[in-house]
Amino acid sequence: MSGDLPDYYFRVRENGAAVFRVDTENRHRRIEMDQIAVLNIKNGEVKPHGDRTLSSEDEAAISQWMEERRALLAARDLDDILRTVDHLNLTTQWAQSKATPEQLEDITDTLLLTMHDLRSVLVRKKADRLLKGK
């Protein structure tokens, strides 16, 4: 098993990760994880853990992980939006075919304000893109 392990392990946190160097080449033949850094994915900040100095190999692995993580998070964001579109369609079907008058009374104002806000932002962003394209 230990031969298949990566050299680094990234424990995902709220805004980044704690970075560990994985060591399987020790006399006890145990997996040891030595924390080497903490990183912030949003601002790109990498803080070495304790008094450590990161090697160029450490920095390259961290940089690669951050790039891959940002791409994954961007893909998840887009997937969440596409799921929201599906959910809005299901909500429309529910409102049209299943909702009771009481249920509609409970959600109509909130849903209308939310959709108005979303529409306003989308229209403004679309106009900005059209103006930049000319």
Side-chain angles (χ1 to χ4, degrees), residues 40-60:
N40 184 316
I41 197 77
K42 293 189 185 228
N43 65 15
E45 183 177 48
V46 177
K47 291 182 183 176
H49 185 69
D51 294 332
R52 295 195 176 276
T53 301
L54 300 177
S55 69
S56 59
E57 183 180 273
D58 296 337
E59 290 174 355

Side-chain angles (χ1 to χ4, degrees), residues 6 16 23 27-28 31 33 64-65 70 77 80 83 85-86 90 100 107 115 121 123 127 129:
D23 177 18
R27 63 188 180 114
H28 301 291
I31 298 171
M33 296 190 330
Q64 179 181 348
W65 184 88
R70 284 185 182 118
D77 282 348
D80 286 348
R83 288 174 193 264
V85 171
D86 287 348
L90 292 170
T100 65
I107 59 96
M115 291 184 329
V121 169
V123 167
R129 288 192 314 274

Side-chain angles (χ1 to χ4, degrees), residues 58-98:
D58 296 337
E59 290 174 355
I62 290 169
S63 179
Q64 179 181 348
W65 184 88
M66 288 176 73
E67 185 178 316
E68 291 170 0
R69 183 70 179 171
R70 284 185 182 118
L72 175 64
L73 293 174
R76 285 182 181 171
D77 282 348
L78 187 56
D79 187 56
D80 286 348
I81 298 305
L82 293 172
R83 288 174 193 264
T84 298
V85 171
D86 287 348
H87 201 81
L88 283 170
N89 284 314
L90 292 170
T91 301
T92 302
Q93 185 60 34
W94 169 82
Q96 184 176 7
S97 63
K98 296 179 185 176

Side-chain angles (χ1 to χ4, degrees), residues 21-38:
R21 188 178 296 119
V22 178
D23 177 18
T24 57
E25 301 295 325
N26 56 67
R27 63 188 180 114
H28 301 291
R29 294 187 168 216
R30 291 186 210 155
I31 298 171
E32 292 182 8
M33 296 190 330
D34 185 24
Q35 185 172 355
I36 62 170
V38 174

